[in-house]
Amino acid sequence: DPSLPYGRLGRAGNGNAVLGGITAEVISRKDPTQRRKLDFTWAWADIEQADGDYRVTNALRSDDGRAWAVAAHQIPGDRNAMFVTREPFGYEGGSDIVVRCNYQTQFNQHVLGRTRIRLGTASEDALAQLPHAVTNWYIVGPYATDDGTQAYETDYGPEEAGPLDFAK
């Protein structure tokens, strides 16, 4: 956008933007007490900043300190991202969708300047053709065992239920 720094995407001084997470809620127009949070399970972007862990899949969770960076200070032009929910959503009589973008990251003012959101549906066949959404794994170790050997193949589980806690 011409009104943003360097005509780029973000409001930061260098024109970049970093999205810490995205959430959405569907609300019934007929009965606004009927509402539910949407569960995003897949993400894709045409550009992901390459000088760190800035994949778009990081925006699927707002609670792990990771984010999607759009590399607007390095590559000019628009950005496109797609987020897919676990299941179809909507209410009979119409629905309102509230989308919240979380920009609470270590990068002050790295907020997208203008966004356009489009909703759509995809057939089961189209969804089956989507590539796997990948994210970085974090490895700790190797762990020493009592006999002094390396223990990459030792089972230290079970893991706790729920998503990984990257702070542990």
Side-chain angles (χ1 to χ4, degrees):
D1 187 276
S3 69
L4 296 170
Y6 310 107
R8 300 291 175 113
L9 297 169
R11 296 176 186 243
N14 66 358
N16 199 13
V18 179
L19 180 65
I22 185 166
T23 59
E25 181 179 35
V26 59
I27 305 165
S28 169
R29 286 187 178 166
K30 190 187 273 187
D31 178 6
T33 63
Q34 289 188 354
R35 53 180 56 211
R36 69 180 170 106
K37 181 180 173 189
L38 299 179
D39 183 18
F40 291 110
T41 58
W42 188 87
W44 168 89
D46 58 351
I47 296 178
E48 298 170 322
Q49 191 167 312
D51 58 354
D53 180 12
Y54 297 116
R55 296 178 185 193
V56 70
T57 51
N58 292 341
L60 293 173
R61 291 185 51 192
S62 297
D63 62 350
D64 63 3
R66 299 186 306 156
W68 170 45
V70 301
H73 62 306
Q74 300 165 333
I75 305 168
D78 294 341
R79 299 295 184 272
N80 294 290
M82 182 168 51
F83 296 91
V84 177
T85 59
R86 182 173 307 280
E87 58 191 25
F89 57 87
Y91 291 100
E92 191 174 318
S95 301
D96 289 322
I97 310 298
V98 177
V99 177
R100 291 180 180 88
C101 295
N102 172 3
Y103 293 103
Q104 295 176 342
T105 70
Q106 64 181 348
F107 304 100
N108 293 331
Q109 300 177 343
H110 282 62
V111 175
L112 290 167
R114 292 186 124 178
T115 55
R116 179 179 308 144
I117 297 173
R118 296 183 190 145
L119 299 176
T121 58
S123 69
E124 289 296 322
D125 184 51
L127 291 173
Q129 294 180 44
L130 295 176
H132 291 283
V134 296
T135 185
N136 288 342
W137 283 88
Y138 293 90
I139 300 171
V140 178
Y143 299 100
T145 60
D146 292 338
D147 63 4
T149 61
Q150 302 298 316
Y152 279 118
E153 296 185 22
T154 301
D155 182 3
Y156 289 96
E159 296 290 334
E160 296 175 6
L164 293 176
D165 181 355
F166 291 100
K168 288 186 177 179

